[in-house]
Amino acid sequence: MYLADRSAPAGAKTAADRRSGRATAVAPTVLALGTVSLVTDVSSEMVTAVLPLYLIAGLGLSPLGFGALDGVYNGVSALVQLTGGHLADRVRNHKLVAGIGYGLSALCKPLLLIAHSLGPISVVLALERTGKGLRTAPRDALISLSTPDALQGRAFGVHRAMDTTGALLGPLAAFLILGVAADGYDAVFGVSACVAALGVVVLMLFVPSGATAPRPRAAVTAPPAPARPHPVRLRDAANLLRLPRLRALALCAVLLGLTTVSDAFVYLLLQRRAGLDDQWFPLLPLGTAAVFLLLAVPAGALADRIGRRTVFLAGHALLLAAYALLLWAPDLRALPHLVLALHGMFYAATDGVLPAAVAATVPESLRATGLALVGTGQALARFGCSLAFGAAWTLWGTGPALAAAAAGLLGCAAVAGHVLRPTPPVPPGPPAPAPTDPARRP
C-alpha cells in the first residue's frame, strides 16, 4: 500500500488522455480555489504579521497572555475542522459550507478595529479561526472531487503553491502599510477586511457548487438512472476509521505530528544557532514559504508518479536533516539558508501530499469528513508537540529538547514507513468448480 494507492501505474494514459491533453491540466475549480486561498491568505497573513507586536507593544499584553491567545488562535481551527467536514458531506454542498467559513473570517477582520482589550480580541480571533476550520475540509474536498485520482498530488500542489503566494504577499503588504499609514494597525486591519471580502466574492462567482473529476467516455450513450443519495450520519463518519488505509494515514499523521516542532520554535532555534540579529527574524518565515512555493507543484507531481508514501516519508527525512543541522552543524554562513531550504522542502513534500493520499482512500460522499479526521488529528498532535517542546526547552534547554524531538521523529518515521509499506498482491486462488446442470442429473 502506498500512502495512497495510485489509480494507474506511472506513465500510463487512458484513451481519453491520448485523445486530449485536457486530462493532464489543472481543473478550473482548483485554480479558482487557489485564487480564493491566495487572496484570503494575503488578508490573514497581514493580520498575523502585526498581531504579536500590536498586542504586546500596542495594547500592553503580557507574553503569557499572548501565549494563551495564540493557543486559542491555532487550536479552535483544528477542533472545528470535523464539524465543517461532516456538515459539508451531510448537506452535500461543499461550496456552501466553505463559503460560510470564508465569510465568517471576512466579517471578523473589521471587528479588530473596535476590539481593544484581551477579551473582545480573543472572541474575534476565535470566530475567525472557526471560519478557517469550517472551510478547510470542504475546500480540500472540492479540490479532490474535481481532479482524477492519478493527479491528486499535482492538484493539491498547485493549490498549496497559490496559497503560499498569499502567505508571502501578506506580510509584505502589512510592512508597506505600516510604513506609510499614520494609524498603521487600523490601516492594516481595514485593508485586510477589504481583501478578505474580495476572496469571498471570487468564491461565489468562480467556484462551481458541484465538483466532478473528468471521466473517460463510456461506450453506452444512455446514462444510468441516478441513485438516491444515502443521508450522511455521524455513524458513517465514525465508521471511516474502519477503513484500513485511512486508519493507517490517520495514525501516521498523528505520530509524525507529535514530533514536528512548530515553525516558530524552528525560527527561534535558527536565530540563536546562527546568531542572527532581531531585525532579520521576521524574514525567516518568508524563506520557508519561498521554497515551499517553488517546490509544491513538482513535489505533488512526483508523488503522483512514484508514490505518495515515498515523497511523504522523504519530506520528514528532510525535516530530520534540518534538526540535525540545528544541533550538530559547524558554524556556517550558509546555515540559515540550508535550514530554511530543508524546512520549505519538508512542507512541499507533505502539506499537499497528505490530503491527496486521504482523498484517494475515502468515498466521495464522505470526502470532506475523511479529510477533516486526518487534518484534525495532525493539527492537535502538532499543538501537543508545541506544548511539550516548550516545556522541554524550559526544563532542559534548547539542545536536549531538540535532540529529543529529533529522536522521536526518527522513531515515528520508522513506524510510519512500516505501517504505510506497500501491500503485496494477493495471489489468485484455485478456480471454482463448474456448477452442475440440474437437468443432467440421473
Side-chain angles (χ1 to χ4, degrees):
M1 177 183 68
Y2 289 94
L3 186 62
D5 293 336
R6 293 169 291 171
S7 60
K13 291 185 178 181
T14 64
D17 294 342
R18 289 189 294 267
R19 287 194 302 267
S20 172
R22 291 177 298 174
T24 59
V26 178
T29 300
V30 177
L31 295 177
L33 287 168
T35 303
V36 174
S37 293
L38 189 157
V39 174
T40 303
D41 250 37
V42 170
S43 170
S44 298
E45 294 302 322
M46 286 174 64
V47 174
T48 302
V50 303
L51 196 61
L53 193 62
Y54 171 69
L55 293 174
I56 294 176
L59 300 184
L61 190 65
S62 67
L64 179 60
F66 176 73
L69 196 61
D70 187 62
V72 172
Y73 192 70
N74 294 295
V76 170
S77 174
L79 293 174
V80 179
Q81 276 194 53
L82 285 173
T83 303
H86 177 70
L87 183 61
D89 287 334
R90 188 174 182 86
V91 302
R92 302 187 184 278
N93 194 329
H94 299 89
K95 177 183 174 179
L96 174 63
V97 178
I100 293 173
Y102 280 108
L104 181 59
S105 294
L107 288 174
C108 290
K109 298 298 194 310
L111 296 180
L112 290 172
L113 294 170
I114 59 176
H116 297 294
S117 61
L118 179 59
I121 290 177
S122 300
V123 173
V124 171
L125 293 180
L127 289 174
E128 200 277 336
R129 291 294 93 180
T130 299
K132 178 176 174 58
L134 284 175
R135 69 180 184 248
T136 299
R139 179 204 64 202
D140 285 351
L142 283 169
I143 295 172
S144 68
L145 292 172
S146 62
T147 306
D149 291 342
L151 299 176
Q152 295 276 334
R154 182 186 179 191
F156 277 101
V158 169
H159 175 268
R160 296 309 194 256
M162 298 179 73
D163 183 86
T164 306
T165 302
L168 280 169
L169 296 176
L172 295 177
F175 174 78
L176 293 175
I177 293 172
L178 286 176
V180 300
D183 196 355
Y185 294 122
D186 285 349
V188 169
F189 297 150
V191 174
S192 173
C194 296
V195 175
L198 177 61
V200 177
V201 172
V202 173
L203 176 75
M204 294 296 103
L205 293 181
F206 297 103
V207 176
S209 297
T212 305
R215 308 286 185 185
R217 293 182 180 178
V220 181
T221 57
R228 185 176 181 180
H230 176 72
V232 176
R233 298 166 297 182
L234 288 175
R235 183 186 307 171
D236 299 326
N239 288 338
L240 278 177
L241 290 177
R242 294 185 179 181
L243 298 175
R245 288 185 292 179
L246 183 65
R247 188 167 61 245
L249 286 170
L251 173 63
C252 293
V254 170
L255 282 177
L256 293 169
L258 287 171
T259 53
T260 301
V261 178
S262 73
D263 297 352
F265 282 128
V266 170
Y267 301 141
L268 287 170
L269 290 169
L270 179 58
Q271 182 195 28
R272 294 191 173 198
R273 182 72 173 79
L276 298 176
D277 293 334
D278 291 347
Q279 63 178 344
W280 299 109
F281 183 80
L283 297 180
L284 295 180
L286 299 183
T288 295
V291 176
F292 184 15
L293 172 62
L294 291 174
L295 298 180
V297 177
L302 182 65
D304 290 334
R305 187 163 62 249
I306 70 173
R308 291 158 192 154
R309 167 185 180 268
T310 303
V311 175
F312 185 74
L313 294 177
H316 285 87
L318 293 168
L319 181 63
L320 187 61
Y323 291 172
L325 284 176
L326 289 172
L327 280 170
W328 298 296
D331 293 331
L332 298 172
R333 292 178 61 89
L335 180 64
H337 304 86
L338 292 174
V339 172
L340 293 177
L342 290 169
H343 201 224
M345 293 165 67
F346 156 70
Y347 276 114
T350 58
D351 194 66
V353 173
L354 180 60
V358 174
T361 65
V362 180
E364 291 187 0
S365 61
L366 292 168
R367 185 66 51 84
T369 304
L371 288 164
L373 280 172
V374 177
T376 299
Q378 183 187 55
L380 292 177
R382 288 182 174 179
F383 179 68
C385 178
S386 295
L387 295 178
F389 187 83
W393 184 336
T394 303
L395 294 174
W396 305 333
T398 57
L402 186 58
L409 178 60
L410 180 62
C412 291
V415 173
H418 176 74
V419 172
L420 299 174
R421 68 189 185 281
T423 303
V426 180
T436 304
D437 188 355
R440 300 188 62 178
R441 290 181 181 176

